[in-house]
Amino acid sequence: MLLITNARAGTSDAETIDRAEAILREAGPVTRVACSEPEDLDRALAGHDDGTVVAAGGDGSIHTLVQALHRHGELEDRVVGLLPLGTGNDLARNMGIPLEAAAAARLVAGEGRPRALDLFVDDAGGVVVNAAHVGIGAEAAEAATRFKPLFKTAAFPLGSLLAGLRHTGWRLRVEADGDLVTDGRVLMVALGNSSGIAGGNADLAPGASPSDGRLDLVVSAATGPLARVGYALHLRSGRHLRRDDVVRTIAKEVSVSGEPFRVNTDGEVSEPVTSRTWTVVPRAWRLLIP
Protein backbone atom coordinates (compact mmCIF):
# COMPACT_ATOMS: atom_id res chain seq x y z
CA MET A 1 0.00 0.00 0.00
CA LEU A 2 0.97 3.65 -0.45
CA LEU A 3 1.14 5.74 2.74
CA ILE A 4 0.86 9.50 2.22
CA THR A 5 2.15 11.70 5.04
CA ASN A 6 2.51 15.43 5.60
CA ALA A 7 6.10 16.55 5.07
CA ARG A 8 5.48 19.33 7.62
CA ALA A 9 4.34 16.95 10.37
CA GLY A 10 5.84 17.55 13.79
CA THR A 11 8.00 15.11 15.74
CA SER A 12 5.11 13.59 17.71
CA ASP A 13 3.06 12.98 14.57
CA ALA A 14 6.07 11.42 12.84
CA GLU A 15 6.56 9.02 15.75
CA THR A 16 2.87 8.14 15.70
CA ILE A 17 3.06 7.45 11.96
CA ASP A 18 6.15 5.27 12.48
CA ARG A 19 4.24 3.08 14.90
CA ALA A 20 1.22 2.92 12.61
CA GLU A 21 3.40 2.09 9.62
CA ALA A 22 4.89 -0.86 11.48
CA ILE A 23 1.37 -2.24 11.89
CA LEU A 24 0.58 -1.66 8.21
CA ARG A 25 3.72 -3.55 7.20
CA GLU A 26 2.39 -6.65 8.93
CA ALA A 27 -0.16 -6.81 6.09
CA GLY A 28 2.39 -6.33 3.29
CA PRO A 29 4.84 -3.87 1.71
CA VAL A 30 4.32 -0.17 2.41
CA THR A 31 5.71 2.74 0.42
CA ARG A 32 5.76 5.93 2.50
CA VAL A 33 5.82 9.27 0.70
CA ALA A 34 5.93 12.65 2.44
CA CYS A 35 4.07 15.39 0.55
CA SER A 36 4.01 19.12 1.17
CA GLU A 37 2.28 20.31 -2.01
CA PRO A 38 -0.49 18.90 -4.24
CA GLU A 39 2.12 18.35 -6.95
CA ASP A 40 4.01 16.00 -4.61
CA LEU A 41 0.86 13.92 -4.21
CA ASP A 42 0.30 13.84 -7.97
CA ARG A 43 3.82 12.51 -8.47
CA ALA A 44 3.40 9.92 -5.72
CA LEU A 45 0.19 8.58 -7.26
CA ALA A 46 1.70 8.56 -10.74
CA GLY A 47 4.75 6.67 -9.51
CA HIS A 48 2.96 4.03 -7.43
CA ASP A 49 -0.02 1.97 -8.55
CA ASP A 50 -0.76 0.43 -5.14
CA GLY A 51 -4.39 -0.60 -4.79
CA THR A 52 -4.67 0.91 -1.31
CA VAL A 53 -3.69 4.51 -0.59
CA VAL A 54 -3.60 5.67 3.04
CA ALA A 55 -3.75 9.29 4.17
CA ALA A 56 -2.09 10.08 7.51
CA GLY A 57 -3.69 13.35 8.60
CA GLY A 58 -6.97 15.13 9.19
CA ASP A 59 -9.97 16.03 7.09
CA GLY A 60 -7.84 18.26 4.87
CA SER A 61 -5.48 15.38 4.12
CA ILE A 62 -8.19 12.91 3.15
CA HIS A 63 -9.90 15.62 1.11
CA THR A 64 -6.67 16.36 -0.77
CA LEU A 65 -6.09 12.68 -1.48
CA VAL A 66 -9.60 12.06 -2.80
CA GLN A 67 -9.37 15.27 -4.84
CA ALA A 68 -6.15 14.00 -6.44
CA LEU A 69 -7.61 10.55 -7.16
CA HIS A 70 -10.65 12.22 -8.72
CA ARG A 71 -8.42 14.43 -10.83
CA HIS A 72 -6.43 11.41 -12.02
CA GLY A 73 -9.57 9.35 -12.71
CA GLU A 74 -8.45 6.68 -10.21
CA LEU A 75 -11.24 6.68 -7.64
CA GLU A 76 -12.64 3.40 -8.96
CA ASP A 77 -9.23 1.72 -9.05
CA ARG A 78 -8.01 2.38 -5.52
CA VAL A 79 -9.23 1.89 -1.96
CA VAL A 80 -8.59 4.70 0.53
CA GLY A 81 -7.47 4.27 4.13
CA LEU A 82 -7.25 6.92 6.85
CA LEU A 83 -5.01 7.37 9.88
CA PRO A 84 -6.71 10.29 11.68
CA LEU A 85 -4.15 12.83 12.87
CA GLY A 86 -6.13 16.05 12.51
CA THR A 87 -7.97 18.28 14.95
CA GLY A 88 -11.58 17.69 13.93
CA ASN A 89 -11.31 14.30 12.18
CA ASP A 90 -14.95 14.68 11.14
CA LEU A 91 -14.92 12.00 8.46
CA ALA A 92 -13.28 9.50 10.79
CA ARG A 93 -15.82 10.24 13.52
CA ASN A 94 -18.76 9.90 11.15
CA MET A 95 -17.50 6.64 9.69
CA GLY A 96 -16.53 5.05 13.01
CA ILE A 97 -12.80 4.98 12.22
CA PRO A 98 -10.75 4.87 15.45
CA LEU A 99 -9.11 8.19 16.31
CA GLU A 100 -6.11 6.36 17.79
CA ALA A 101 -3.60 5.85 14.97
CA ALA A 102 -2.56 2.30 15.88
CA ALA A 103 -6.18 1.12 15.99
CA ALA A 104 -6.86 2.86 12.67
CA ALA A 105 -3.78 1.16 11.19
CA ARG A 106 -5.05 -2.27 12.26
CA LEU A 107 -8.33 -1.46 10.53
CA VAL A 108 -6.50 -0.56 7.32
CA ALA A 109 -4.22 -3.59 7.61
CA GLY A 110 -7.08 -6.05 7.48
CA GLU A 111 -9.72 -5.54 10.15
CA GLY A 112 -11.75 -3.09 8.06
CA ARG A 113 -13.83 -3.38 4.92
CA PRO A 114 -14.20 -1.01 1.96
CA ARG A 115 -17.43 0.97 1.83
CA ALA A 116 -18.50 2.83 -1.32
CA LEU A 117 -19.26 6.48 -0.51
CA ASP A 118 -20.85 9.35 -2.39
CA LEU A 119 -18.80 12.33 -3.50
CA PHE A 120 -19.92 15.91 -4.12
CA VAL A 121 -18.23 17.51 -7.14
CA ASP A 122 -18.47 21.27 -7.69
CA ASP A 123 -18.43 23.31 -10.88
CA ALA A 124 -14.82 24.36 -10.28
CA GLY A 125 -13.57 20.77 -10.20
CA GLY A 126 -13.42 20.52 -6.42
CA VAL A 127 -14.78 17.66 -4.31
CA VAL A 128 -16.47 17.29 -0.93
CA VAL A 129 -16.06 14.09 1.07
CA ASN A 130 -17.84 15.08 4.28
CA ALA A 131 -19.39 18.56 4.31
CA ALA A 132 -19.29 22.02 2.77
CA HIS A 133 -20.53 25.25 4.37
CA VAL A 134 -21.28 28.68 3.00
CA GLY A 135 -21.60 31.72 5.23
CA ILE A 136 -21.14 31.42 8.97
CA GLY A 137 -19.74 27.88 8.69
CA ALA A 138 -16.84 29.09 6.57
CA GLU A 139 -16.21 32.15 8.74
CA ALA A 140 -16.30 30.01 11.90
CA ALA A 141 -13.73 27.60 10.45
CA GLU A 142 -11.48 30.49 9.51
CA ALA A 143 -11.81 32.03 12.98
CA ALA A 144 -11.08 28.70 14.67
CA THR A 145 -7.82 28.11 12.79
CA ARG A 146 -5.57 30.12 15.09
CA PHE A 147 -7.01 28.45 18.20
CA LYS A 148 -6.58 24.81 17.10
CA PRO A 149 -3.01 24.30 18.39
CA LEU A 150 -4.04 25.31 21.92
CA PHE A 151 -7.72 24.38 22.23
CA LYS A 152 -7.98 21.40 19.79
CA THR A 153 -11.65 20.56 19.12
CA ALA A 154 -12.77 23.32 21.52
CA ALA A 155 -11.49 25.77 18.90
CA PHE A 156 -14.57 25.07 16.74
CA PRO A 157 -17.25 26.42 19.12
CA LEU A 158 -14.96 29.34 19.91
CA GLY A 159 -14.62 30.10 16.21
CA SER A 160 -18.41 29.86 15.83
CA LEU A 161 -18.90 32.35 18.67
CA LEU A 162 -16.52 34.88 17.15
CA ALA A 163 -17.99 34.47 13.67
CA GLY A 164 -21.51 34.86 15.05
CA LEU A 165 -20.58 38.16 16.67
CA ARG A 166 -19.06 39.54 13.47
CA HIS A 167 -21.44 38.43 10.73
CA THR A 168 -25.18 38.95 10.33
CA GLY A 169 -25.76 37.00 7.15
CA TRP A 170 -25.37 36.96 3.38
CA ARG A 171 -27.90 37.70 0.64
CA LEU A 172 -27.97 34.45 -1.36
CA ARG A 173 -30.12 32.46 -3.74
CA VAL A 174 -30.20 28.72 -3.04
CA GLU A 175 -31.63 26.14 -5.44
CA ALA A 176 -31.98 22.39 -5.00
CA ASP A 177 -32.46 20.29 -8.14
CA GLY A 178 -33.55 23.47 -9.93
CA ASP A 179 -36.20 24.41 -7.35
CA LEU A 180 -35.86 27.61 -5.31
CA VAL A 181 -35.15 26.98 -1.63
CA THR A 182 -34.58 30.59 -0.60
CA ASP A 183 -33.66 33.96 -2.08
CA GLY A 184 -32.75 36.39 0.66
CA ARG A 185 -30.57 36.89 3.70
CA VAL A 186 -29.24 33.66 5.23
CA LEU A 187 -26.77 32.82 7.96
CA MET A 188 -25.59 29.46 6.68
CA VAL A 189 -25.94 27.09 3.74
CA ALA A 190 -24.57 23.63 4.49
CA LEU A 191 -24.22 20.46 2.45
CA GLY A 192 -23.70 17.27 4.41
CA ASN A 193 -22.65 13.84 3.19
CA SER A 194 -22.93 12.56 6.77
CA SER A 195 -24.05 14.00 10.07
CA GLY A 196 -21.29 15.45 12.25
CA ILE A 197 -19.00 18.45 11.77
CA ALA A 198 -16.69 20.67 13.86
CA GLY A 199 -14.85 17.87 15.64
CA GLY A 200 -18.02 16.32 17.01
CA ASN A 201 -19.30 19.68 18.28
CA ALA A 202 -22.21 19.94 15.83
CA ASP A 203 -24.75 17.49 14.42
CA LEU A 204 -25.42 19.18 11.07
CA ALA A 205 -27.59 16.60 9.33
CA PRO A 206 -28.78 13.90 11.74
CA GLY A 207 -29.37 10.62 9.96
CA ALA A 208 -27.60 11.65 6.76
CA SER A 209 -26.24 8.72 4.77
CA PRO A 210 -22.93 9.00 2.88
CA SER A 211 -24.00 6.40 0.34
CA ASP A 212 -27.61 7.19 -0.60
CA GLY A 213 -26.81 9.16 -3.76
CA ARG A 214 -28.12 12.42 -2.29
CA LEU A 215 -26.80 15.37 -0.32
CA ASP A 216 -28.46 16.83 2.75
CA LEU A 217 -29.00 20.58 2.42
CA VAL A 218 -29.50 22.74 5.51
CA VAL A 219 -30.25 26.46 5.15
CA SER A 220 -30.46 28.76 8.17
CA ALA A 221 -32.04 32.23 8.04
CA ALA A 222 -31.27 32.86 11.72
CA THR A 223 -29.71 36.26 11.07
CA GLY A 224 -30.92 38.27 14.10
CA PRO A 225 -28.68 38.56 17.20
CA LEU A 226 -30.70 36.21 19.41
CA ALA A 227 -31.49 33.92 16.50
CA ARG A 228 -27.80 33.45 15.73
CA VAL A 229 -27.10 32.44 19.32
CA GLY A 230 -30.06 30.08 19.37
CA TYR A 231 -29.06 28.46 16.11
CA ALA A 232 -25.50 27.89 17.31
CA LEU A 233 -26.70 26.26 20.53
CA HIS A 234 -29.25 24.07 18.76
CA LEU A 235 -26.74 23.02 16.09
CA ARG A 236 -24.64 21.23 18.70
CA SER A 237 -27.42 18.75 19.41
CA GLY A 238 -29.16 18.59 16.03
CA ARG A 239 -32.20 20.47 17.37
CA HIS A 240 -31.59 23.30 14.88
CA LEU A 241 -33.77 21.41 12.39
CA ARG A 242 -36.83 22.13 14.58
CA ARG A 243 -36.40 25.88 14.16
CA ASP A 244 -38.82 27.85 11.97
CA ASP A 245 -35.87 29.69 10.37
CA VAL A 246 -34.14 26.48 9.24
CA VAL A 247 -34.92 24.41 6.14
CA ARG A 248 -33.61 20.93 5.45
CA THR A 249 -34.06 19.13 2.16
CA ILE A 250 -32.48 16.36 0.10
CA ALA A 251 -31.13 16.92 -3.42
CA LYS A 252 -28.77 15.65 -6.09
CA GLU A 253 -27.62 19.13 -7.12
CA VAL A 254 -27.43 22.40 -5.17
CA SER A 255 -26.55 25.87 -6.46
CA VAL A 256 -25.73 28.94 -4.37
CA SER A 257 -25.28 32.43 -5.80
CA GLY A 258 -25.32 36.04 -4.65
CA GLU A 259 -23.01 38.39 -2.84
CA PRO A 260 -19.41 37.14 -2.33
CA PHE A 261 -19.15 34.19 0.05
CA ARG A 262 -16.45 31.78 1.12
CA VAL A 263 -16.83 28.01 1.21
CA ASN A 264 -15.54 25.71 3.93
CA THR A 265 -14.94 22.38 2.21
CA ASP A 266 -13.91 19.58 4.56
CA GLY A 267 -12.23 22.17 6.78
CA GLU A 268 -10.49 24.09 3.99
CA VAL A 269 -11.77 27.66 3.43
CA SER A 270 -11.84 29.12 -0.08
CA GLU A 271 -11.41 32.63 -1.37
CA PRO A 272 -14.71 34.52 -1.92
CA VAL A 273 -16.86 33.45 -4.88
CA THR A 274 -20.27 34.60 -6.10
CA SER A 275 -21.65 31.25 -7.24
CA ARG A 276 -21.05 27.54 -6.77
CA THR A 277 -22.89 24.37 -7.78
CA TRP A 278 -22.41 20.91 -6.29
CA THR A 279 -23.55 17.62 -7.83
CA VAL A 280 -23.60 14.20 -6.18
CA VAL A 281 -21.62 11.36 -7.75
CA PRO A 282 -23.09 8.23 -6.10
CA ARG A 283 -20.72 5.67 -4.58
CA ALA A 284 -17.76 7.29 -6.28
CA TRP A 285 -14.97 6.11 -3.95
CA ARG A 286 -14.21 3.45 -1.35
CA LEU A 287 -13.04 4.01 2.22
CA LEU A 288 -11.86 1.35 4.67
CA ILE A 289 -14.15 1.42 7.72
CA PRO A 290 -14.85 -0.91 10.66
Side-chain angles (χ1 to χ4, degrees), residues 226-244:
L226 293 179
R228 296 199 303 273
V229 173
Y231 177 74
L233 293 174
H234 291 151
L235 183 61
R236 292 177 62 86
S237 62
R239 291 183 295 137
H240 59 297
L241 299 179
R242 304 176 188 173
R243 297 177 58 91
D244 293 337

PDB file of all heavy atoms in Angstrom, residues 226-244:
ATOM      1  N   LEU A 226     -30.284  37.326  18.560  1.00  0.00           N
ATOM      2  CA  LEU A 226     -30.696  36.214  19.407  1.00  0.00           C
ATOM      3  C   LEU A 226     -30.866  34.936  18.589  1.00  0.00           C
ATOM      4  O   LEU A 226     -30.565  33.838  19.069  1.00  0.00           O
ATOM      5  CB  LEU A 226     -32.003  36.552  20.121  1.00  0.00           C
ATOM      6  CG  LEU A 226     -31.917  37.670  21.159  1.00  0.00           C
ATOM      7  CD1 LEU A 226     -33.283  37.928  21.788  1.00  0.00           C
ATOM      8  CD2 LEU A 226     -30.899  37.327  22.253  1.00  0.00           C
ATOM      9  N   ALA A 227     -31.317  35.093  17.356  1.00  0.00           N
ATOM     10  CA  ALA A 227     -31.494  33.919  16.499  1.00  0.00           C
ATOM     11  C   ALA A 227     -30.168  33.253  16.210  1.00  0.00           C
ATOM     12  O   ALA A 227     -30.084  32.014  16.167  1.00  0.00           O
ATOM     13  CB  ALA A 227     -32.184  34.329  15.202  1.00  0.00           C
ATOM     14  N   ARG A 228     -29.114  34.038  16.012  1.00  0.00           N
ATOM     15  CA  ARG A 228     -27.798  33.453  15.732  1.00  0.00           C
ATOM     16  C   ARG A 228     -27.304  32.642  16.919  1.00  0.00           C
ATOM     17  O   ARG A 228     -26.752  31.549  16.759  1.00  0.00           O
ATOM     18  CB  ARG A 228     -26.783  34.556  15.389  1.00  0.00           C
ATOM     19  CG  ARG A 228     -27.111  35.308  14.122  1.00  0.00           C
ATOM     20  CD  ARG A 228     -25.906  36.047  13.562  1.00  0.00           C
ATOM     21  NE  ARG A 228     -25.301  36.984  14.482  1.00  0.00           N
ATOM     22  CZ  ARG A 228     -25.683  38.248  14.639  1.00  0.00           C
ATOM     23  NH1 ARG A 228     -26.714  38.719  13.939  1.00  0.00           N
ATOM     24  NH2 ARG A 228     -25.055  39.055  15.480  1.00  0.00           N
ATOM     25  N   VAL A 229     -27.505  33.162  18.110  1.00  0.00           N
ATOM     26  CA  VAL A 229     -27.095  32.441  19.320  1.00  0.00           C
ATOM     27  C   VAL A 229     -27.901  31.153  19.458  1.00  0.00           C
ATOM     28  O   VAL A 229     -27.355  30.076  19.734  1.00  0.00           O
ATOM     29  CB  VAL A 229     -27.272  33.324  20.571  1.00  0.00           C
ATOM     30  CG1 VAL A 229     -27.002  32.514  21.836  1.00  0.00           C
ATOM     31  CG2 VAL A 229     -26.344  34.526  20.515  1.00  0.00           C
ATOM     32  N   GLY A 230     -29.208  31.262  19.261  1.00  0.00           N
ATOM     33  CA  GLY A 230     -30.057  30.084  19.374  1.00  0.00           C
ATOM     34  C   GLY A 230     -29.701  29.015  18.366  1.00  0.00           C
ATOM     35  O   GLY A 230     -29.661  27.824  18.699  1.00  0.00           O
ATOM     36  N   TYR A 231     -29.431  29.427  17.148  1.00  0.00           N
ATOM     37  CA  TYR A 231     -29.065  28.463  16.107  1.00  0.00           C
ATOM     38  C   TYR A 231     -27.772  27.741  16.475  1.00  0.00           C
ATOM     39  O   TYR A 231     -27.685  26.511  16.339  1.00  0.00           O
ATOM     40  CB  TYR A 231     -28.899  29.181  14.766  1.00  0.00           C
ATOM     41  CG  TYR A 231     -28.440  28.269  13.657  1.00  0.00           C
ATOM     42  CD1 TYR A 231     -29.305  27.349  13.081  1.00  0.00           C
ATOM     43  CD2 TYR A 231     -27.125  28.306  13.184  1.00  0.00           C
ATOM     44  CE1 TYR A 231     -28.897  26.500  12.069  1.00  0.00           C
ATOM     45  CE2 TYR A 231     -26.699  27.460  12.171  1.00  0.00           C
ATOM     46  CZ  TYR A 231     -27.585  26.551  11.620  1.00  0.00           C
ATOM     47  OH  TYR A 231     -27.163  25.714  10.631  1.00  0.00           O
ATOM     48  N   ALA A 232     -26.777  28.494  16.948  1.00  0.00           N
ATOM     49  CA  ALA A 232     -25.498  27.886  17.310  1.00  0.00           C
ATOM     50  C   ALA A 232     -25.673  26.859  18.423  1.00  0.00           C
ATOM     51  O   ALA A 232     -25.082  25.777  18.388  1.00  0.00           O
ATOM     52  CB  ALA A 232     -24.514  28.969  17.737  1.00  0.00           C
ATOM     53  N   LEU A 233     -26.482  27.183  19.412  1.00  0.00           N
ATOM     54  CA  LEU A 233     -26.702  26.262  20.531  1.00  0.00           C
ATOM     55  C   LEU A 233     -27.451  25.016  20.066  1.00  0.00           C
ATOM     56  O   LEU A 233     -27.122  23.895  20.461  1.00  0.00           O
ATOM     57  CB  LEU A 233     -27.474  26.966  21.647  1.00  0.00           C
ATOM     58  CG  LEU A 233     -26.737  28.103  22.363  1.00  0.00           C
ATOM     59  CD1 LEU A 233     -27.667  28.804  23.350  1.00  0.00           C
ATOM     60  CD2 LEU A 233     -25.502  27.576  23.089  1.00  0.00           C
ATOM     61  N   HIS A 234     -28.457  25.205  19.234  1.00  0.00           N
ATOM     62  CA  HIS A 234     -29.250  24.068  18.761  1.00  0.00           C
ATOM     63  C   HIS A 234     -28.464  23.185  17.793  1.00  0.00           C
ATOM     64  O   HIS A 234     -28.710  21.979  17.709  1.00  0.00           O
ATOM     65  CB  HIS A 234     -30.530  24.569  18.089  1.00  0.00           C
ATOM     66  CG  HIS A 234     -31.511  25.175  19.037  1.00  0.00           C
ATOM     67  ND1 HIS A 234     -32.407  26.153  18.679  1.00  0.00           N
ATOM     68  CD2 HIS A 234     -31.715  24.942  20.362  1.00  0.00           C
ATOM     69  CE1 HIS A 234     -33.134  26.485  19.722  1.00  0.00           C
ATOM     70  NE2 HIS A 234     -32.738  25.766  20.756  1.00  0.00           N
ATOM     71  N   LEU A 235     -27.527  23.787  17.049  1.00  0.00           N
ATOM     72  CA  LEU A 235     -26.740  23.016  16.087  1.00  0.00           C
ATOM     73  C   LEU A 235     -25.907  21.943  16.775  1.00  0.00           C
ATOM     74  O   LEU A 235     -25.663  20.874  16.209  1.00  0.00           O
ATOM     75  CB  LEU A 235     -25.830  23.962  15.296  1.00  0.00           C
ATOM     76  CG  LEU A 235     -24.965  23.355  14.178  1.00  0.00           C
ATOM     77  CD1 LEU A 235     -25.834  22.710  13.114  1.00  0.00           C
ATOM     78  CD2 LEU A 235     -24.075  24.430  13.565  1.00  0.00           C
ATOM     79  N   ARG A 236     -25.481  22.191  17.979  1.00  0.00           N
ATOM     80  CA  ARG A 236     -24.641  21.231  18.698  1.00  0.00           C
ATOM     81  C   ARG A 236     -25.365  19.906  18.923  1.00  0.00           C
ATOM     82  O   ARG A 236     -24.738  18.845  18.942  1.00  0.00           O
ATOM     83  CB  ARG A 236     -24.198  21.818  20.044  1.00  0.00           C
ATOM     84  CG  ARG A 236     -23.237  22.988  19.916  1.00  0.00           C
ATOM     85  CD  ARG A 236     -22.909  23.564  21.284  1.00  0.00           C
ATOM     86  NE  ARG A 236     -22.251  22.622  22.155  1.00  0.00           N
ATOM     87  CZ  ARG A 236     -20.948  22.405  22.195  1.00  0.00           C
ATOM     88  NH1 ARG A 236     -20.152  23.083  21.398  1.00  0.00           N
ATOM     89  NH2 ARG A 236     -20.428  21.528  23.032  1.00  0.00           N
ATOM     90  N   SER A 237     -26.672  19.964  19.084  1.00  0.00           N
ATOM     91  CA  SER A 237     -27.422  18.749  19.410  1.00  0.00           C
ATOM     92  C   SER A 237     -28.291  18.249  18.265  1.00  0.00           C
ATOM     93  O   SER A 237     -28.965  17.220  18.404  1.00  0.00           O
ATOM     94  CB  SER A 237     -28.323  19.019  20.620  1.00  0.00           C
ATOM     95  OG  SER A 237     -29.263  20.032  20.321  1.00  0.00           O
ATOM     96  N   GLY A 238     -28.302  18.970  17.140  1.00  0.00           N
ATOM     97  CA  GLY A 238     -29.155  18.586  16.035  1.00  0.00           C
ATOM     98  C   GLY A 238     -30.562  19.138  16.140  1.00  0.00           C
ATOM     99  O   GLY A 238     -31.399  18.913  15.262  1.00  0.00           O
ATOM    100  N   ARG A 239     -30.860  19.917  17.195  1.00  0.00           N
ATOM    101  CA  ARG A 239     -32.205  20.473  17.375  1.00  0.00           C
ATOM    102  C   ARG A 239     -32.457  21.695  16.493  1.00  0.00           C
ATOM    103  O   ARG A 239     -33.573  22.226  16.461  1.00  0.00           O
ATOM    104  CB  ARG A 239     -32.434  20.831  18.844  1.00  0.00           C
ATOM    105  CG  ARG A 239     -32.539  19.605  19.761  1.00  0.00           C
ATOM    106  CD  ARG A 239     -32.844  20.005  21.189  1.00  0.00           C
ATOM    107  NE  ARG A 239     -31.743  20.763  21.766  1.00  0.00           N
ATOM    108  CZ  ARG A 239     -31.902  21.857  22.517  1.00  0.00           C
ATOM    109  NH1 ARG A 239     -33.106  22.338  22.738  1.00  0.00           N
ATOM    110  NH2 ARG A 239     -30.849  22.467  23.026  1.00  0.00           N
ATOM    111  N   HIS A 240     -31.416  22.146  15.762  1.00  0.00           N
ATOM    112  CA  HIS A 240     -31.589  23.299  14.876  1.00  0.00           C
ATOM    113  C   HIS A 240     -32.625  23.021  13.794  1.00  0.00           C
ATOM    114  O   HIS A 240     -33.245  23.945  13.269  1.00  0.00           O
ATOM    115  CB  HIS A 240     -30.250  23.667  14.233  1.00  0.00           C
ATOM    116  CG  HIS A 240     -29.633  22.581  13.422  1.00  0.00           C
ATOM    117  ND1 HIS A 240     -29.231  21.377  13.963  1.00  0.00           N
ATOM    118  CD2 HIS A 240     -29.367  22.489  12.078  1.00  0.00           C
ATOM    119  CE1 HIS A 240     -28.738  20.602  13.006  1.00  0.00           C
ATOM    120  NE2 HIS A 240     -28.813  21.251  11.860  1.00  0.00           N
ATOM    121  N   LEU A 241     -32.832  21.751  13.450  1.00  0.00           N
ATOM    122  CA  LEU A 241     -33.769  21.406  12.391  1.00  0.00           C
ATOM    123  C   LEU A 241     -35.221  21.644  12.813  1.00  0.00           C
ATOM    124  O   LEU A 241     -36.118  21.670  11.965  1.00  0.00           O
ATOM    125  CB  LEU A 241     -33.582  19.951  11.977  1.00  0.00           C
ATOM    126  CG  LEU A 241     -32.190  19.598  11.423  1.00  0.00           C
ATOM    127  CD1 LEU A 241     -32.120  18.131  11.068  1.00  0.00           C
ATOM    128  CD2 LEU A 241     -31.853  20.460  10.206  1.00  0.00           C
ATOM    129  N   ARG A 242     -35.476  21.850  14.101  1.00  0.00           N
ATOM    130  CA  ARG A 242     -36.828  22.126  14.579  1.00  0.00           C
ATOM    131  C   ARG A 242     -37.174  23.610  14.493  1.00  0.00           C
ATOM    132  O   ARG A 242     -38.328  23.989  14.691  1.00  0.00           O
ATOM    133  CB  ARG A 242     -36.970  21.670  16.040  1.00  0.00           C
ATOM    134  CG  ARG A 242     -36.635  20.206  16.278  1.00  0.00           C
ATOM    135  CD  ARG A 242     -36.714  19.893  17.762  1.00  0.00           C
ATOM    136  NE  ARG A 242     -36.210  18.555  18.063  1.00  0.00           N
ATOM    137  CZ  ARG A 242     -36.053  18.087  19.300  1.00  0.00           C
ATOM    138  NH1 ARG A 242     -36.370  18.850  20.343  1.00  0.00           N
ATOM    139  NH2 ARG A 242     -35.567  16.865  19.496  1.00  0.00           N
ATOM    140  N   ARG A 243     -36.193  24.436  14.193  1.00  0.00           N
ATOM    141  CA  ARG A 243     -36.404  25.877  14.165  1.00  0.00           C
ATOM    142  C   ARG A 243     -37.202  26.294  12.925  1.00  0.00           C
ATOM    143  O   ARG A 243     -37.057  25.709  11.850  1.00  0.00           O
ATOM    144  CB  ARG A 243     -35.063  26.615  14.182  1.00  0.00           C
ATOM    145  CG  ARG A 243     -34.238  26.397  15.446  1.00  0.00           C
ATOM    146  CD  ARG A 243     -32.886  27.101  15.341  1.00  0.00           C
ATOM    147  NE  ARG A 243     -33.032  28.526  15.111  1.00  0.00           N
ATOM    148  CZ  ARG A 243     -33.095  29.439  16.064  1.00  0.00           C
ATOM    149  NH1 ARG A 243     -33.004  29.082  17.332  1.00  0.00           N
ATOM    150  NH2 ARG A 243     -33.220  30.730  15.762  1.00  0.00           N
ATOM    151  N   ASP A 244     -38.028  27.347  13.091  1.00  0.00           N
ATOM    152  CA  ASP A 244     -38.822  27.853  11.972  1.00  0.00           C
ATOM    153  C   ASP A 244     -37.959  28.539  10.918  1.00  0.00           C
ATOM    154  O   ASP A 244     -38.391  28.679   9.765  1.00  0.00           O
ATOM    155  CB  ASP A 244     -39.870  28.846  12.483  1.00  0.00           C
ATOM    156  CG  ASP A 244     -40.934  28.174  13.348  1.00  0.00           C
ATOM    157  OD1 ASP A 244     -41.118  26.950  13.205  1.00  0.00           O
ATOM    158  OD2 ASP A 244     -41.573  28.880  14.157  1.00  0.00           O
TER     159      ASP A 244
END
